[in-house]
Amino acid sequence: MSGAGFDSVTLPPGPDLFGRVARILLDRHGDALADCDVILPSITLAPALRSALSAAAGRALFMPRVLTPQLLAARWRGDAATDPDSRRLLGLVAQLRRVGWLGDADLWAVARELMDLADTLADVPVPDEAALEGAFARAHALHDSAALSLEARLVHAVWLADSTGTPGHARATTQALYRAAASARRPVVLLADTLDPAPDWLAAFARRVPVLHIGVRRAAGEDALSRALDAAWPVAADDVRTLWSRRVPADAAQRLRDRVRLVSAQSLEQEAQHAAACIARWLAEGRRRIALVASDREAARRTRALLERRQVLLADETGWKLSTTRAAATVDAFLQCLASDGYHRDLLDLVRSPYVAGDMDADTHARAIAEVDHWVVRRNHVDGLQALLADAARELAGRAGAALMVPFAQAANLMPTQAAPAAFWIERLLAALDALQARTALLQDAAGAQVIALLEQLRADSSGVSLALTFADWRQWLNGEFERALFRDTAIDSPVVLTHLAATRLRVFDAVYVIGADGEHLAPPQLRGVLGHEGLRRELGLADTQQAARQLREDLAGLILNSDEIVFSWQAQRNGEANLPGADLQLLDLMFVRAGLPSAVSAAPAQPDPEPAALPRQTSAPVLDAGRVPQRLTASAMADLMACPYRYYARRVLGLGEGDEVEETMGKGSVGELVHALLHDFHVAHPRLDSETPQALAGDMRARIAAAFDGAIGRNFQEHVWADRLHDRADAYVAWACAREAEGWVFDSGEQSRARPLDLSDGGALSLEGRIDRIDRGAAGVSLLDYKLRSSEAVKKSLQGGEDLQLAFYTLLEGDTVSEAAYLALDEPAPVPHPQAEPHAAAEALQGLIGTLFPALRAGAALPAHGDDRACAYCEMRGLCRKDWRT
Amino acid sequence: MNDGLRALDPSASVVVEACAGSGKTWTLVSRLIRLLLAGVAPGEILAITYTRKAAREIDERLQHWLGELAVADDAGVIAFLDQRGVDARNDAALIERARGLFEHVASARPGLTINTFHGWFSSLLGAAPLSAGLGGLQLAERTARLRDQAWGVLMRRAGSAPDGELAQAVRWLLAQAGLAGARSLAESLIERRAEWQAWLAAHDGLDGVFAHLESFFGADREAPVDALAQDAALRAAVLELAKLLGQGTEAQQRKAVALETAASQHDAQAFFDGLCAELLTRAGVPIAFKPGKSMEKIGAAERTQQLFESCAERLLACLHALSDRAAWELNRHALTVASAMLDAYDQVKRGAGVLDFGDLEWHAARLLGDAQTGPFVQARLDARYTHLLLDEFQDTNPLQWQVLMHWLDAYAPDQVQPRVFVVGDPKQSIYRFRRADPRIFAHARAAFAERFGAIDIRRNETRRSSPAVVEVVNALFGALDVFEGFAPHGTTQVGLPGAVEVLPAFGHDVDAPDEATSSDSGLRNPLTTPRVTAEDSRRRREADAMCARLQAMVGRVAVRDAHSGAVRPARYGDVMILLRRRTGLAVYEAALRAHGIPYFGASRGRLLDTLEAADLQALLRFLAAPADALALAHVLRSPLFALSDAHLLRLTSAGPALWAALRAARGGDDAELTRAASLLSDWLAAAAQLPVHDLLDRVFHRGELMQRYAAQVDPMAWPGVRANLDAFMELALKVDSGRFPSMPRFLDELARLRNEDDEAPDEGLILGEDPARGRVRVLTVHAAKGLEAPIVWLADAIAKPRADSGARVLLAWPPGAPAPEHLSLLQRKDNQGQARARFIDAEARAAAREDANLLYVAVTRARQFLFASGVSPARGVADDSWLARLQTALRGCPSVQTADDGALRLSTGTADACPDIDTVAAAPTVAEALPSTPVGERRVMVPMNDAQIWGTGLHAWLEALACGEPPPPRPPALDAARWSELERLARAMTGSASLRRFFDPALHRWAASEVEFVLPDGSLGRIDRLVEFDDEIWILDYKSGEGVGFAEEYAEQLKRYAESVGLIRPGKTPRAALLRPDGRLDCLF
Ligand code: SF4
């Protein structure tokens, strides 16, 4: 073994890279290879190295120890303390709060930015504060900028805290590597997969042991392929020639063009379909080692689903934010319930989680959910957590829904109500998940297990931090942690990997599909904020965008050189906007053109139309068995029948109706009910108005209005809108009512249910049923009144056209004594009656019609879906009658 | 140099007013290239346009041209540059530079910026100093939810202090405007937040604004009726008038008495009412007063007239003052509520960590306007722009203009001053509803001329339209008052045949269908007779006529292809139908379908309203809540299951528990029911685990959804339905991959999206159209901006413009002024007031102008043929309608002809002869190769058991000690006590007398830990510790397990290891042993 020192070699990327590496290693170390440490950028490359080594040796041999910088650091971290990120963040926010420099900013976000920054600077020697301020000022060419020097000071403070206090993860890693270097005894070989210069810690190794740095750099002229690639993407960064003068012969370009395809799609679906078809074809051709590079994650996700349809599973190396998993959503749903004080939608979201009461069997679970749903609607529970829990405990006791609500109540009561340290919050959250009987179910699911593990980790990491957080604050912190944590499903073995561009470095594939290769996705990351300034980055010795762009290009070049076939696709338009392929790809294509070849861009094939299934023709004019023809009829059912027979069928025969929803603010319907009730009570209490003064009556009416609306107004101030209006109109109503009484109409009764059997010509019977708002008695008979909480104009409109049969229906119900039937429009300064012209004639006509319709139905008349636009506009049966599709 | 080329001169600042079709994008992109050629660094260029779409188009055009230049031969480059005013004939270096531009631009950092104002503002905010307090805030594109929350906050705030000012103002507003009205007034400032802030700043806050408005509306003066009552001159005049009239006719005498009575009233209101009754009509205008003969006779005619007028005028003034007071009352209350709403909204946004678009503008203005942060932002952005290019400048709003000016002001006088290039067309300003102010164009022209010596260029020559279209444009707008500044257009397309045809208005049907056949009872029998809608058939007739015409033209009329210039028969893809509004859209689309004409709908934002999307939502609703019988019935009727009503009747025979009935029917006699029950059960189980997108994918796949929909949908509608199904899938992918997904949240989100106008997802795009036919595009005029077509049909051309109405902000902000001149809230006519009449009039004028602009945009979309049609209104005449204006314009053209049906037609040029219809073969479809067997498998993940965890820990310790490394990191599964127990064990082992020789380097020749090697069969072996002595080589395997059969298990493996080691180190005797935690060494051989 030779002595300490630093050596470096450069090799070109390509399928033979590891063969070359192996030969170099064997040459240098021979049998002593087992004493070497080979540091690879990623452990996924280890198998390639091992097989290259044994192939190159041609015999059995002991392998070197294969590590990555992270693995090496982990071995040397020892028990040196590190400050976990979650904990650093809490500390930093506490500090920022104390100094209070940053106004309204979302401090969590700012603190995260500052921490990232400190991590970026972990390898960089940072000057003292004044020098850093100087660097900021120089780079920005700004003097005396208070804002700028504040930033410099902040950056410096954070960096200082990291470098002098307990180090964060990034710095701890660097420190461990230096520690390893300080006791290094084994030669080190480091294979680099980026353009970055050799890390500084490697030099520390070189002081004790021999170090070999193997850089991978594209060669310009090795073969036709790399020559063509060099013409498109010059290797030399300082190449000033234009593409025009870098022309290569057509045959060299053709070599490259044979392996690269550029495909433009018109939509996400088309792109994903193309990708899936392409990968399926590769598999059918017997290719293995296939990569789907997810430049556009949504398109990649769509592709994955399409491949799974074809029974192709993908090994996912990309991972998803933990926050995008159902498991994390359950935790959030619980917290959201608390945050929104038991808002009904949040509650229903939580109870629907498959993890909550996860040990229940599916049917019981479904029943319990349905019951809670129903109960919430029935109570019209909008929000108010404590009231909800109390009601639930009382009303659901012993019923299926209790299996959900009791655990929820227990869980909710576990949570602190005051500001508390993060660790305490997490502690309680975990206990709450137990109370919800969710933990076991979570642990059985890959993402769920990670959620629990993360929470436990956070509890440990944040223990001892005394910063008291409010619920909202803590939740923001927790959300951030869920955002940062990555969920990766590692349980799939597959020849097809779903991965990202950087993870493909140095890997060899049979075929690669890069999805989402447009200029937006295939671009160096946009840096923003404090360290987004290029000049400042250079000043601090950090990589700038220029370098990031070069790296991106090299990654693409490496990918092309390492795969037999590669497809880049993109959506030529997104959201109706033009979407160009990445600039490097355009350049590649221009190179082909320059070499005299046709462009390599092709359009993704149009998706063939599916083979239509053989389906029976669907009609929407049901015919009823006599037994299914309803034997009851109400005024509103009659209105349905008039508007559209199919709607009548769906609602009244099938019994379907939109499940009621919680009314968040009082709809006109509930206000109407309230008003009906209070008018009824008023008249019952004052059967004769002339015995009291109008003032006293109006006063009583106002008191009733106040009582009726009090609760609603307490819940939502906006309910004043009707309360105030009615309040202001109480006098006018009383005046109208007194005048009516003076005319001889005396209040008789209200809210009267009536039923009247009707014998039909075919011998069948039909019961007409309904409830009459108010009946007044006068000399000539009775008067039927129907309250309408609408304007007089609106009531008049509905009467036009002569198809409003409600009053006729009531007249028919009440019978011969009726001498007047009228609507009373109440949304007016004073009530306006709209009497039916000839009540008895109208009732007779109605009776005639009913007498025609029901025997016809029993005799097999169809109920066609022929509502007009007015009827269909808000009809919830549109999905059943399928009217939209009929021409 | 001609004007077109002068606009490209890199050394000049220019303001170009360019008419429709004159090649604005060509000019702008050509200028970009000229700048780059002249050596301007890409990072020094900022181009701003109005929409993202336009920005991407400019970028696309630029990259396309630069790409062409990169591979063009000398002649090509020279010609390209020559068209743009650069002579490169003998300049090899210049040619080479042109070829290098593509790479130059692609690799430039910072790069060339082509952005929208919003995009640019958002990068300004991204560059804000940390101390600006904007850190971490995200841009929220959806705000309706935030507004709801803010309203909730506001109501709570009011409720918590019911006697407070806010609560009273809220109640006043609720009483005055109802709930919806109150809310829209309360929210009115949100859209105008930046203007409102500027207005507040100009008046030092809300109190200042109130003080200003109070005096503006005269509310600080004496009550108008009181003032009137105390107006002695008026009383005198009234009395004099009464006295004179008293000598007149009987009627005049009666009036005289009434006037006298009124004048004697002491009560101010009675005085006022009395006078109003006599002098004004009920509508509040002076009565028609004539002194008449009687007054002439006594020589008082002139005097009475005079007296009457002055009294009426005085009364009117009082009425106006009253109305102004009402306006003040409204503003006092509404602004109180609206500004509180703004606070609440800010609070909600802060809580959510988001900004909205309004904030974006406001903060951008604030940041750049500040002497400290302005330069900071410029420096942070690293953008020293020397060239500003502003496209579609007529659509700029005052705030954007202000931000621009701040940006320009930040250039120090000693710095290189930027060059500006402004292009736009005030005639095409149609975005007033987005606060665009076309007056800024003229203002900028003057301001830039003064500041940068900008040249004023006006281009009135179109490269698009045929002479026929241009002739009509000139006739139409030359005479239009409101269209001031119009200069007649010319066209470069002199030989392009074209025609303009205006159809007579479609009126009432002559033979309307008879009243519905009624039953004996006189009532309609609903089973046999549908209700006859009041909706008349005029629009349907218009749509039918249009479709018939289009059908007759396609394949027969010749058009010139815009790209190739070739003459070919017209296709449906050449037709654009333009509508001013969406009303009636369904009728036109239905007619197109009925005529079998393929079309692209104008259904922006309507995806979730389509039946197919409703089907999928119903499915998801059912999967989220299986008890939802209606949702289930809906799904069962959708093509996914296509059940008949007989099926539904059967399933509901025992009551409405539909899902239970369906499950019970599974496996029964009915295959359809069985299929439905088993698929739905499967999906129900999957719904608990799968994300929505994956769930839907399973539905599409296993439910054979596409095939079944294809079977049921009308072929004409199928491409659209299919596109919508794809779009829904994409929506699921996007919405559901956000944070914390769940099905209920997804459904809530859809419900919300559906209700939010500008956020509602669009219908899917139809792809892969048949190239021989193409599709007619149906568009609103707004959406058609920037597009063109050989054939344009302007339908519904009698529709009235949508008037400004309802609660809104009245704003007057003269271009260039630092702050608004006026800002108040408008609600109804009766509290509009007189004081702000001039602002309201100015808005009305601007609206009228914009309406004319819209017509200009519509008409100038046409390349060759333009048609216009409309339906006559139900009431009144529409002589100001677009159709009427077009008719008038056409009548004024000398060569117009009138057809038998009354259509006016103007044509120019000789129609091209129509070649035969070109047929295009259908694209072949490729059969897909499928892998024959499943690929990939899911491993069962078995967590480590306790013994394994323990063993791994021991391994780690032994290895660390053997290699002289620090203690290994403790795995979370082991607590500290067990960990130190492991350490003790490991130390005992490595230090024990019997084992020391394996661990102390002094006692062996060579040792290595964790040695890997390749076995002869290619598999990988791994030895825990390998120790070489002089004659033997030991293979140690650390074992923590116990049990009898245990050692045997490893014996075989270790034997193979030993053989391999023997091969690698020939000459040494391989020995293998298991090392136990108690330090025991089990030698195997
Ligand atoms: S949508 Fe129209 S046609 Fe269909 S059921 Fe409802 S009312 Fe009848």
Side-chain angles (χ1 to χ4, degrees), chain B residues 1065-1085:
Chain B
R1065 287 278 198 276
K1068 302 246 163 151
T1069 316
R1071 309 279 311 263
L1074 293 181
L1075 184 55
R1076 306 274 190 176
D1078 54 6
R1080 202 149 42 92
L1081 202 61
D1082 284 346
C1083 289
L1084 294 172
F1085 39 85

Side-chain angles (χ1 to χ4, degrees), chain B residues 533-676:
Chain B
T533 14
E535 195 222 9
D536 71 39
S537 57
R538 284 167 292 173
R539 196 184 304 285
R540 214 165 294 153
R541 293 202 301 130
E542 180 200 1
D544 284 341
M546 174 180 79
C547 291
R549 262 319 261 286
L550 292 179
Q551 267 176 329
M553 286 168 72
V554 163
R556 300 203 183 85
V557 168
V559 298
R560 294 207 192 155
D561 193 278
H563 298 290
S564 63
V567 174
R568 56 167 177 75
R571 306 164 181 162
Y572 282 125
D574 295 325
V575 181
M576 196 151 80
I577 297 173
L578 295 181
L579 301 166
R580 139 183 268 152
R581 48 178 194 178
R582 287 172 189 291
T583 323
L585 182 66
V587 178
Y588 298 103
E589 293 193 354
L592 288 166
R593 274 203 302 277
H595 283 80
I597 298 177
Y599 68 94
F600 292 112
S603 317
R604 274 193 65 81
R606 299 269 63 95
L607 173 65
L608 294 174
D609 291 341
T610 62
L611 187 56
E612 49 276 20
D615 291 349
L616 294 175
Q617 292 176 81
L619 173 65
L620 293 175
R621 269 207 316 281
F622 163 72
L623 293 178
D628 188 340
L630 177 60
L632 176 56
H634 180 160
V635 178
L636 293 176
R637 288 282 289 164
S638 79
L640 208 41
F641 300 109
L643 294 190
S644 65
D645 283 310
H647 279 121
L648 291 189
L649 281 164
R650 173 175 160 186
L651 288 172
T652 51
S653 57
L658 202 52
W659 176 228
L662 184 60
R663 280 209 295 183
R666 186 174 180 174
D669 56 351
D670 192 309
E672 294 295 305
L673 293 183
T674 299
R675 174 177 178 274

Side-chain angles (χ1 to χ4, degrees), chain B residues 871-884:
Chain B
V871 297
S872 51
R875 271 184 299 242
V877 283
D879 45 10
D880 201 23
S881 72
W882 287 0
L883 199 82

Side-chain angles (χ1 to χ4, degrees), chain B residues 748 958 962:
Chain B
D748 280 357
L958 284 171

Side-chain angles (χ1 to χ4, degrees), chain A residues 627-646:
Chain A
R628 288 297 292 272
V629 176
Q631 310 208 346
R632 299 172 51 233
L633 183 68
T634 61
S636 65
M638 187 64 208
D640 280 341
L641 189 55
M642 289 305 287
C644 169
Y646 193 94

Side-chain angles (χ1 to χ4, degrees), chain A residues 643-647 864-868 871-872 875-878 881-883:
Chain A
C644 169
Y646 193 94
R647 172 148 93 193
H866 58 206
D868 62 358
C872 298
C875 177
E876 72 267 41
M877 301 307 166
R878 153 192 188 225
C881 76
R882 319 291 302 165
K883 181 193 172 200

